Amino acid sequence: MAFPITRLRRLRQNEPIRSLVRETRLSTESLVYPLFVCPGKGVRNEVRSMPGVFNLSVDQAVQEARHAHSLGVPAVILFGLPENKDEIATGAWAETGIVQQAARALKREIPDLIVMGDVCLCEYMSHGHCGVVRTAPQSLGAAVATPPRATADYEIVNDATLELLARTSVSLARAGVDIIAPSDMMDGRVGAIRQALDRAELSHIPILSYAAKFASGFYGPFREAADSTPQFGDRRSYQMDGANLREAMREIELDIEEGADMIMVKPAMPYLDVIAAARRRFDVPLAAYQVSGEYAMIEAAARNNWIDRERVLMESLLSIRRAGASIIITYHALDAARLLA
Ligand code: PBG
């Protein structure tokens, strides 16, 4: 039945009716707030390319998390800026690591807050890659003076990395992290982490895998925030090619087979089709990460008065929800919680 019988504007005529027929709703209960934890006391350094986002010492991170919790945000995800970096990412798995310290403090001060731990090595490696790097023999001598440039000059070693990721996961869980979230994109890491957790009598700890994580220019501001830019090369040999939807489904399928309890698509807005396809195909809880570049674009345009900041940030979150993600990791979590209240 077409016009004039059908008039879709009937159900748009005022806010109560629009609200009655609304198909998608955002809720604070599904938001996760990222925190960047650094050494020191009383430190609160704003990230240049992410206004409103800070590197926080443990005491400040606790304060920020308390604020988030009081607004109804149920979870934080932790990233660390270690004191020192090396070739085996010691800072990621050391008992005294910065994220371990933060997790202990957060669980002591705010026991009901869900603490997620991002598991990756890039922030802790001197070269900034997410895995162990092996330099090709012919360039070994040269590598000391000049870092390798061509892909042929170095290799990100998959299986040796798994051991470090597993060690990191066990260490974080022992420090109180409630959910382990591996973001490195090595093959087999979910299985390796599950096995290590189970052996350490941590079989109750869930894994949220960054299952479909794309090599993306939208991570730019994060790398400044976490000081994790690769010193040579890029991440395209482990993170996914942005052109591939079918491969994303294979990544997710494998992670679920290896024991992922929840899955994630990242970034969010440029990959809404991947979120939608994952929602239709898999029955595990689905998360999406609205990444640093997505945040920075909204903030930059708002600062120029080119867009209405609050309206655009809520619309962007709604689009992620509508695509099918039930959990949203976003730097706008506190603003969203305030606007939803
Ligand atoms: C670590 C990691 C990254 C992000 C989350 N975990 C950076 C990267 O892969 O380069 C990006 C988050 C963001 O941009 O907000 N590997």
Side-chain angles (χ1 to χ4, degrees), residues 61-310:
V62 169
Q63 219 170 291
E64 186 78 6
R66 202 176 268 130
H67 186 202
H69 194 58
S70 71
L71 289 168
V73 175
V76 295
I77 184 162
L78 302 180
F79 298 92
L81 290 96
E83 202 94 55
N84 300 299
K85 300 177 190 251
D86 59 25
E87 309 271 294
I88 51 167
T90 306
W93 44 265
E95 208 194 308
T96 53
I98 188 71
V99 173
Q100 284 81 350
Q101 290 177 40
R104 279 191 287 268
L106 287 166
K107 290 312 288 186
R108 187 178 59 233
E109 302 292 328
I110 322 164
D112 300 341
L113 178 77
I114 301 170
V115 176
M116 299 184 177
D118 176 271
V119 171
C120 197
L121 306 178
C122 57
E123 299 119 273
Y124 309 93
M125 288 287 206
S126 41
H127 46 63
H129 276 289
C130 303
V132 173
V133 168
R134 186 195 294 135
T135 315
Q138 68 271 19
S139 59
L140 251 187
V144 181
T146 36
R149 289 193 181 280
T151 319
D153 288 347
Y154 71 94
E155 183 196 341
I156 311 296
V157 190
N158 194 89
D159 299 11
T161 302
L162 299 185
E163 142 75 24
L164 297 180
L165 294 167
R167 203 187 292 177
T168 302
S169 302
V170 169
S171 166
L172 291 178
R174 283 191 178 137
V177 165
D178 300 296
I179 296 175
I180 293 294
S183 70
D184 52 283
M185 290 301 280
M186 296 300 127
D187 287 326
R189 93 272 207 208
V190 172
I193 290 171
R194 182 73 273 158
Q195 195 176 47
L197 288 172
D198 290 357
R199 282 199 183 136
E201 291 181 37
L202 294 163
S203 59
H204 60 289
I205 299 289
I207 297 175
L208 163 59
S209 83
Y210 288 64
K213 175 174 176 181
F214 293 89
S216 171
F218 286 92
Y219 304 150
F222 172 95
R223 293 182 187 171
E224 186 184 322
D227 186 24
S228 67
T229 309
Q231 298 304 300
F232 50 84
D234 56 41
R235 303 209 201 289
R236 289 172 210 268
S237 79
Y238 40 105
Q239 297 181 349
M240 285 193 57
D241 185 330
N244 296 354
L245 173 65
R246 289 190 291 268
E247 188 189 355
M249 298 301 109
R250 293 191 70 200
E251 280 284 2
I252 295 171
E253 193 168 21
L254 287 171
D255 279 10
I256 294 173
E257 272 170 25
E258 286 177 32
D261 301 281
M262 300 180 270
I263 54 169
M264 193 195 303
V265 173
K266 174 185 175 191
M269 226 160 58
Y271 297 91
L272 292 177
D273 59 323
V274 180
I275 297 173
R279 179 65 300 155
R280 280 194 297 275
R281 188 136 151 197
F282 302 103
D283 290 328
V284 295
L286 173 62
Y289 199 138
Q290 183 180 49
V291 302
S292 56
E294 298 177 70
Y295 175 87
M297 287 197 305
I298 292 174
E299 292 299 317
R303 256 147 224 256
N304 278 300
N305 289 316
W306 292 341
I307 57 169
D308 176 337
R309 177 177 178 279
E310 295 185 347

